[in-house]
Each structure stands twice: as structure tokens, then as C-alpha cells.
Amino acid sequence: MKTLLWKLFLFIHFYSFAQIEDFSTVSFEKADRIASNLHVKELTNLPNIAYKLTHALNTPVEKFRAIYTWVALNIESDYYYQEKILKNRKKRIKDTVALNAWNEQNLSVFFEKLVTKKKTICTGYAYLVRELAGFVGINCKIIDGYGRNGNQNIGELEIPNHSWNAVSLNNKWYLCDPTWSSGYAFVSRKKVEFIHKYTDGYFLADPTLFIKNHYPLDEQWTLLKDVPTTTTFVSAPLIYNASFQHKIMPIKPEKFRLIVGQNQFVNFEFKILNELKKEDVAIEIINGNAKSMSIPIFLKSELNRLKFKHKFLKRGLFDVHIKIKDDVVATFVVKVNKL
């Protein structure tokens, strides 16, 4: 009987989740201002940083917001270090002993970069958020798994490549990703430059959207009752930071790669939380070096649904980007064959 009650508690505990809308009456202005104004050279005294970020705030969610925002604003993602780590992990993925030994040897480099240079990889971001939150009594965990973007986990699952956080606030679990909130690497022929561009779209994100580009090793941390398979994960449309910012999620088509006949329509459907005007939506179509913009043919939409279609007139292979207010929120690859 005790075992049954404990399992029931765990079920309720993990699935009584919510999102940022739970805190719609909370203003994060003060927390964001504190985070923006705190500058430190090195991360040698984390308890002091946690205190400075949170002592003037009243609620756990405001305190966590200040910590999260500060980490995203002040830590730089190290592109070359990330590539080095992924390369070495791939080399040792079938040899657990060698992989663990390499990880252990690399720890000193990892912490030196983080503490003195404020440069790190996703694990460093998640570690900082967890540690700072812990100093003020907030239960926060590092979640390891698969991050999906234009270069990784497309069509097939690769090695685990990403880490993020789960945080407990008011007895509910929430998901967030400080790494992808902090900015992005701009890759050119000459160099790679990290561009600081804070977005709060990944802060207490909707689990049904989060799973589109985050798949945890431990499936309970999807915070979903119906967990999609990894096959569904790697074959779904690509989404981006802007998808979280605009709170828009692709529903149909369900696949990233589509095959259609010439002069056939493809129907698109998105779940939306923010109000959109028709002029906010556009389709960008790329075929080789040729790029064109198309105005969607809108269909009758239900509540919180955006529906439209597009006819593909020419044969070929096309990258199809769905844009909201000039931001790409989803990508499909469409092969158009002769009927």
C-alpha cells in the first residue's frame, strides 16, 4: 500500500507542471533590472552572487528569474570548446571507461574557463543556474539529453549533446534553457563570434513546445503524460528561438521532410498563444541560390489555431521557412515531384 501511495505521489509530483502563464500576475521588471545591473569579473564567490541577485526579491519565481536572466546575460557560449567536447565524446561513445576518464580529465579545464573567463558550454550554464538557485533554497536540476537544431539530430538520434534545467516553483516543475536564452554563435569563413541576444522564450517554457527541440535522457523530465518517441523527435519540423518568443508551435505537417506533387497544396497548422495578424505571417522558399517570399492562403482557423496552405508550382527541392514578423519559427524541406 505504501509503495502504491508513493508511486501515486511521484505521478502527481512530476505531472503537476505548468508554464510561465502561471505567473502572469508577477512582474519580473525588478528581477531583470537587478540581473542587468550586477557585474562581476570572476565566478569565485557564487553564494555572494546569489545573495546580491535575490535578497531584495520576495518570491521564489522572482529570485529564480533574476538568477536565470543573470546567467544568460553574463555567460558566453564557447563554440570551439563545444565542438571539441562533442568530437571527443563521439570518439569514445562505445568505451564508457575511456569516456568517463576523458570527462574527468577535462573537468579542470571546464571549471577554469567558467570561473575565470565566464565562457562555457551548455552544461556550464545549467550548472550555474542550479548552484545559484540552490544557495537560495530553490530546487533546481540539470537535465541532460538531446538538443535539436539545423545541424544535429535531424532524421536520426546522435549522441547526447545538450543540457538544460528543471526547476520546482510552488510545488510544480518547469523547464528552461539558459544556454539558448543567452544568444548564438555567428559562424563566418574567418571566425566564430558569440552574439549576446537574450530571449526569455525558454524561461518556464511550455513542455509541449520544449519537447520539439529538447529530448531528455530520462523521459520523466519531458513533464508530459504522453511522451513522443525519439523517432518522432528527430523527424519533426525544425523550430527556433523565435518559436518560443512568439509562442507558436507546428501541428501539421508532422514531418520535417515532405514529398508532394507539382501543383499540389500543402496545409500548415500551428498552435498559437499570442494574437497574430495575417500580415505577420509569410512563407520564405529557398531553392539553391533562389529565394522567394509567398503570402499564405489562409484557411478558417479555430481558437488558438493558425491554418494556411501553399501550392508548389515548380519541381525541385525546397527549404520552406515559416516566418512570423520576419522571424523564422519553423522549417520544412519539401521535395516537389512531377505528377
Side-chain angles (χ1 to χ4, degrees):
M1 183 64 179
K2 286 184 178 179
T3 302
L4 180 61
L5 287 174
W6 175 244
K7 287 182 178 179
L8 179 61
F9 168 78
L10 284 178
F11 179 85
I12 295 170
H13 181 63
F14 280 114
Y15 289 112
S16 60
F17 62 81
Q19 298 84 41
I20 187 65
E21 285 75 20
D22 280 352
F23 304 102
S24 59
T25 60
V26 178
S27 172
F28 294 122
E29 183 179 348
K30 186 176 181 180
D32 290 347
R33 184 171 65 251
I34 291 172
S36 298
N37 291 333
L38 179 62
H39 304 286
V40 297
K41 255 191 172 182
E42 295 185 346
L43 308 180
T44 52
N45 193 340
L46 293 186
N48 187 48
I49 293 172
Y51 173 79
K52 288 181 177 179
L53 285 170
T54 63
H55 78 278
L57 300 170
N58 297 320
T59 65
V61 69
E62 290 175 276
K63 293 178 180 182
F64 185 73
R65 171 72 173 211
I67 289 168
Y68 180 89
T69 303
W70 186 84
V71 170
L73 289 176
N74 286 272
I75 307 303
E76 182 176 328
S77 184
D78 192 327
Y79 176 85
Y80 291 114
Y81 188 45
Q82 174 76 19
E83 290 296 298
K84 177 183 176 181
I85 287 178
L86 286 176
K87 181 180 178 181
N88 278 279
R89 286 178 179 171
K90 285 180 180 178
K91 190 187 298 183
R92 297 168 174 82
I93 192 64
K94 294 182 179 180
D95 188 340
T96 305
V97 174
L99 180 60
N100 290 338
W102 185 86
N103 284 336
E104 189 69 29
Q105 292 170 5
N106 192 56
L107 272 179
S108 60
V109 177
F110 170 84
F111 280 108
E112 196 275 335
K113 278 179 171 283
L114 179 60
V115 172
T116 63
K117 298 181 180 179
K118 293 192 291 186
K119 295 181 70 172
T120 191
I121 58 173
C122 54
T123 309
Y125 281 90
Y127 167 81
L128 264 185
V129 169
R130 184 192 69 182
E131 293 300 292
L132 291 170
F135 288 128
V136 296
I138 296 174
N139 188 7
C140 183
K141 297 181 180 294
I142 297 175
I143 309 300
D144 298 316
Y146 305 89
R148 190 165 182 261
N149 55 43
N151 299 315
Q152 295 174 308
N153 296 309
I154 302 295
E156 62 180 359
L157 206 62
E158 301 173 16
I159 66 168
N161 65 329
H162 197 40
S163 299
W164 54 93
N165 293 102
V167 59
S168 178
L169 299 166
N170 298 344
N171 297 316
K172 292 182 181 180
W173 284 99
Y174 298 81
L175 300 169
C176 54
D177 187 341
T179 308
W180 288 3
S181 277
S182 68
Y184 60 93
F186 178 75
V187 183
S188 66
R189 292 181 180 179
K190 294 183 179 180
K191 63 177 181 177
V192 176
E193 180 183 4
F194 180 73
I195 307 297
H196 275 288
K197 187 179 180 183
Y198 176 73
T199 171
D200 66 356
Y202 288 103
F203 178 72
L204 311 187
D206 183 338
T208 59
L209 180 57
F210 205 77
I211 192 62
K212 299 295 183 182
N213 55 10
H214 295 75
Y215 201 101
L217 294 178
D218 185 343
E219 291 183 359
Q220 69 182 355
W221 292 111
T222 62
L223 302 186
L224 296 171
K225 292 180 181 179
D226 299 315
V227 180
T229 64
T230 54
T231 301
T232 298
F233 174 71
V234 298
S235 62
L238 271 178
I239 66 168
Y240 305 89
N241 285 16
S243 311
F244 289 79
Q245 202 65 28
H246 293 294
K247 300 185 187 304
I248 181 168
M249 181 172 65
I251 303 297
K252 295 179 182 178
E254 297 179 355
K255 303 288 187 182
F256 172 62
R257 301 185 187 278
L258 309 173
I259 300 176
V260 301
Q262 189 177 4
N263 293 316
Q264 283 189 335
F265 281 103
V266 173
N267 290 340
F268 297 91
E269 181 178 342
F270 288 78
K271 179 183 177 182
I272 56 174
L273 292 181
N274 293 341
E275 188 176 336
L276 288 174
K277 299 176 183 177
K278 288 184 177 181
E279 54 266 32
D280 293 335
V281 186
I283 303 174
E284 182 180 69
I285 299 174
I286 299 175
N287 177 227
N289 294 322
K291 181 188 296 186
S292 63
M293 300 298 297
S294 174
I295 298 174
I297 300 171
F298 290 95
L299 305 171
K300 185 177 180 181
S301 293
E302 303 165 10
L303 184 65
N304 296 330
R305 288 290 191 273
L306 174 68
K307 296 181 179 181
F308 54 90
K309 63 182 180 179
H310 176 79
K311 180 186 284 189
F312 289 88
L313 302 176
K314 297 180 180 179
R315 286 177 289 166
L317 187 65
F318 302 92
D319 292 332
V320 178
H321 303 304
I322 309 302
K323 304 183 82 171
I324 303 294
K325 299 179 180 178
D326 294 326
D327 296 324
V328 178
V329 296
T331 294
F332 302 83
V333 173
V334 181
K335 184 178 181 181
V336 183
N337 294 329
K338 183 178 180 181
L339 281 176

